[in-house]
Amino acid sequence: MRVPRIATTSHDPLVRRSRVVSYVLVAVGVVVLSFAPSVVGGRVGEPLHVLLHVVRAIVAVALFAAAVLVQVAVGVRWRRRLLRDAADDGRQDRRTGRGQDAATDGREDRGALPPPPA
């Protein structure tokens, strides 16, 4: 029987990359949100000034949502991989006839037991 692998998220390169991407998206969103339209040079009463306020809020929210979606997508992918690996382990147990039951208590089959004394 195969020893089940412990799936840790901290060593998975896909999870690490997705965290970096999410942090970058959030950081860019914060920068966009903190951007002052007056830096561009428009006066407060102009329509461009109001448009920049609206656009920066929309862009920031879109970046925050993208960061969340990256994490959700990676989580779904990671969960599917765990389920696939668990299903593969189950198929292997059925093929070999070795599984966890009351007789073996989950331990590996080490051969036939000697006959009981008569």
Side-chain angles (χ1 to χ4, degrees), residues 8 26-27 44 49 60 70 74-75 79 97 107 113 115-116:
T8 58
V26 168
V44 176
H49 185 80
V70 165
V74 170
R79 185 174 181 271
R107 288 176 272 150
L113 296 173

Side-chain angles (χ1 to χ4, degrees), residues 64-80:
F64 296 149
V68 170
L69 288 175
V70 165
Q71 290 301 305
V72 168
V74 170
V76 167
R77 187 172 172 186
W78 181 70
R79 185 174 181 271
R80 282 184 186 159

Side-chain angles (χ1 to χ4, degrees), residues 6-7 11-12 18 20 29 31 34 39 49 54 59 61 64-65 70 74-75 79 85 87-88 93-94 106 111-112 118:
I6 298 173
H11 300 296
D12 190 357
S18 71
V20 170
V31 169
S34 66
V39 172
H49 185 80
V54 172
V59 169
V61 168
F64 296 149
V70 165
V74 170
R79 185 174 181 271
D85 290 347
D88 289 346
D93 289 345
R94 283 193 294 274

